[in-house]
Amino acid sequence: MKRVHGGDSHNFGHVRYSSLDEVEAERAAKLGPDMSNAQYREFNGLVAANAKDPEFSTAFYKKLGGPEEALRFYARMSIDGTLGDGEENKERLALSRDLQRNMGIALATATDPDNRTHLPAGWGEEFRRLGTQRIELEPGAFGPQPYGYQVLGGIMRYGDYDADFLTPIAEHITQLHHDEPMRFMSNKPMGMGDADLGYNPSGKGGAGYDPLTSVLEALGHSPEAAERFFTGDPTVYREDGTVDKGAKLGYQFLEEDFEWPPDTLAMPGTAGSEGALEHGPNALGHALEAAATGRAYDSQSTEPVKHTSERAEFTERLVAHFGEHPELIRHNENLKDEKFEDLKSGPLHALRGSLGNITAEYIGDFQRSMYGDSPESDSFPVNGVPAVFENSSHVVRFLGEVGQDPDAYASITSAQQSYTTLMVDRVFDGVFSGEDKSEVSLEQKVSSAVAPGAVMAGIMSDARADAVHDYNTAAAKDFNEATADKGKWATRTVELGTSLIPQRVPVVGEVINWLAEDITESVVKSAEKDANKVADNGIRDYSNGRDAAVDSAMAAVARAARDRPEVNDATLESLKRAARDQTGSSHSEGANLRSSGDAS
């Protein structure tokens, strides 16, 4: 035991293994569900500690015996962990969730060709062949046996996968799904009392019988693969996973009639069935987000990721598509009112949270589009290649639908207010450094800096009113609660690039952190104030949203003038009034745009 634990039987994390002699993966695979909890914990600890080590992970999967044997091992452990409801099962379920995460990360490591040690490319080809084959869990087993893709999907929900490995699998699964949407769901056990039973022990986003949802979640954690999946020319595959050279796809992924199966064992209308039809669209949103932003959808990192031309163009297509077809992401639960009879919920309304995050990521491009400024102008600096939204009505409709989701609203509002704060700071820096040579007054420059964000705030106010008062899809408190964890968008906006950091501030870690925290605190307070004042009385009153936008703009001026001896009290008050007046006017403009025929 000391040989395995390095002298500490409670610590698996400080030893790196170059072989699997100690891990005994073959023994574990043979034991499978017969492993005791103590053996299971030890096995999980060793894999977790070394899952990102290429030599270990590659040897680990080879020791399991090959692709089919690896799938069989995981499937047996997954089913074992999701059976039953007793206290003993709680620990077993926790262990199976750890195994799912560990095996996913290890597979991502082992299949990355950039690592000196990695599995041969044939593993990906074999996984595709096995995807439509039944995996026999036990010799002579009765009952439905899982398809390879159902099992592989459970593993791949964790890990950042190389595009050469993941994208072909994602393309194959998507094509199989399009040809026969219920193909894999027909394999789920019938009449089971345990709704958790499946190949996704995490319980997040389905039971694990629909591999499309699983592979979309894998793309959501694998930005390079997601970008290639959505922006590259797709390869067409045959049933057995081999390439069908010369064949072309005959469908679009975001079509309205794309069928999303309910990945659950719960019967319709019973506990556990709620939201079953949203698992697929949610996962699609995560994949779209990874492709557009270049980071995993659930990443907490605030480190900037440059927008490539592919990412920017993809974002342009998303905005144009949903701006032209907002009904796809509409959510309406107020159909009792005759005027809403034709405004049923769209099949992709679950995407709106992710689309809100994409908007926050491209906040500079959205602000630039409010008044049609040229991307060649440096008035709205962005990180990397700019996204250009040609059709302003598409942008308004897109924001108007997306902003009805509380999480999307909070992300967009947080990014918008922090970007506006930086734009005001940039104005002050340009004027007092002498770099800005224009003869326009400082008051007018401040007004121009706050106007685009205020238009967006007005659109958001109208969108929120739609959700609370018309479509009955959210309450005022939902918008307030959503602001709590959106401060990261203020920090990300500050750190988008050094071009956004005031030049008088040294661009070093601690100072950027201070600046981000300072702006984040102001933004979150403003957003909370904004949401707290939403009335649940059926009145479409934008005055409270307008007040919050005004307060945020005036706070941005006060922050920019801090430590500026050139700005006396009288001048500061004049500048704050300019920001106040322009914000109020532009906020009304945005609300009117959204509620006018332009947004219909």
Side-chain angles (χ1 to χ4, degrees), residues 76-95:
R76 294 174 69 211
M77 300 305 296
S78 179
I79 293 298
D80 171 67
T82 54
L83 282 171
D85 298 310
E87 287 298 320
E88 176 69 18
N89 183 66
K90 288 183 179 180
E91 182 175 3
R92 203 71 175 179
L93 177 59
L95 289 168

Side-chain angles (χ1 to χ4, degrees), residues 283-355:
L284 172 60
H286 297 161
L288 295 176
E289 191 174 339
T293 67
R295 60 163 64 89
Y297 79 90
D298 54 357
S299 170
Q300 296 302 308
S301 170
T302 58
E303 182 178 351
V305 178
K306 283 202 171 186
H307 301 158
T308 63
S309 58
E310 291 79 10
R311 292 170 192 155
E313 290 169 7
F314 178 59
T315 301
E316 293 168 6
R317 297 207 321 266
L318 285 178
V319 173
H321 181 73
F322 291 117
E324 185 176 1
H325 303 287
E327 70 279 0
L328 291 175
I329 54 175
R330 180 176 296 127
H331 194 192
N332 182 17
E333 293 184 359
N334 200 25
L335 293 173
K336 295 179 182 179
D337 193 321
E338 291 183 1
K339 69 177 181 177
F340 293 116
E341 285 183 353
D342 296 328
L343 298 177
K344 297 180 180 180
S345 292
L348 299 177
H349 66 265
L351 293 183
R352 296 189 301 184
S354 289
L355 295 177

Side-chain angles (χ1 to χ4, degrees), residues 324-531:
E324 185 176 1
H325 303 287
E327 70 279 0
L328 291 175
I329 54 175
R330 180 176 296 127
H331 194 192
N332 182 17
E333 293 184 359
N334 200 25
L335 293 173
K336 295 179 182 179
D337 193 321
E338 291 183 1
K339 69 177 181 177
F340 293 116
E341 285 183 353
D342 296 328
L343 298 177
K344 297 180 180 180
S345 292
L348 299 177
H349 66 265
L351 293 183
R352 296 189 301 184
S354 289
L355 295 177
N357 290 340
I358 292 172
T359 302
E361 177 77 22
Y362 285 82
I363 194 65
D365 300 293
F366 276 93
Q367 285 214 17
R368 187 181 64 250
S369 72
M370 291 298 100
Y371 288 111
D373 282 76
S374 169
E376 282 75 31
S377 168
D378 66 349
S379 300
F380 296 87
V382 295
N383 187 40
V385 177
V388 182
F389 310 120
E390 300 286 357
N391 190 316
S392 60
S393 63
H394 284 169
V395 175
V396 174
R397 284 197 290 265
F398 175 85
L399 291 173
E401 291 296 332
V402 172
Q404 292 173 39
D405 178 82
D407 285 326
Y409 178 96
S411 297
I412 295 170
T413 299
S414 177
Q416 173 266 309
Q417 290 188 357
S418 55
Y419 189 87
T420 297
T421 297
L422 289 169
M423 293 296 287
V424 172
D425 236 353
R426 196 166 183 260
V427 164
F428 274 69
D429 189 58
V431 168
F432 293 111
S433 68
E435 290 189 6
D436 187 341
K437 304 297 184 182
S438 71
E439 296 182 0
V440 177
S441 69
L442 181 55
E443 286 86 350
Q444 184 57 50
K445 290 174 181 175
V446 167
S447 295
S448 296
V450 301
V455 174
M456 287 191 69
I459 296 172
M460 290 293 103
S461 288
D462 193 75
R464 183 180 57 190
D466 277 354
V468 175
H469 303 312
D470 290 351
Y471 294 147
N472 195 31
T473 55
K477 67 179 180 64
D478 297 326
F479 286 90
N480 186 36
E481 292 171 357
T483 64
D485 67 341
K486 298 302 180 182
K488 70 180 180 182
W489 285 109
T491 304
R492 280 179 176 173
T493 303
V494 171
E495 295 186 355
L496 276 179
T498 56
S499 62
L500 291 180
I501 304 297
Q503 293 179 12
R504 74 177 190 278
V505 178
V507 184
V508 294
E510 287 306 313
V511 178
I512 289 180
N513 290 340
W514 168 82
L515 181 62
E517 290 172 6
D518 186 46
I519 295 176
T520 299
E521 182 180 4
S522 173
V523 167
V524 171
K525 283 182 178 179
S526 175
E528 288 177 347
K529 179 179 181 181
D530 180 18

Side-chain angles (χ1 to χ4, degrees), residues 200-276:
N200 178 29
S202 75
K204 300 175 183 177
Y209 290 94
D210 177 19
L212 178 62
T213 300
S214 296
V215 82
L216 288 171
E217 287 289 350
L219 289 170
H221 289 118
S222 310
E224 178 190 350
E227 182 178 320
R228 187 183 300 182
F229 178 79
F230 289 111
T231 65
D233 293 327
T235 301
V236 180
Y237 295 92
R238 301 186 182 91
E239 168 88 5
D240 63 359
T242 56
V243 175
D244 189 356
K245 295 181 179 179
K248 299 291 184 183
L249 288 186
Y251 67 92
Q252 294 293 320
F253 195 57
L254 296 178
E255 289 177 348
E256 183 175 5
D257 58 356
F258 196 94
E259 189 171 347
W260 299 94
D263 187 11
T264 178
L265 295 182
M267 298 298 293
T270 64
S273 66
E274 306 90 345

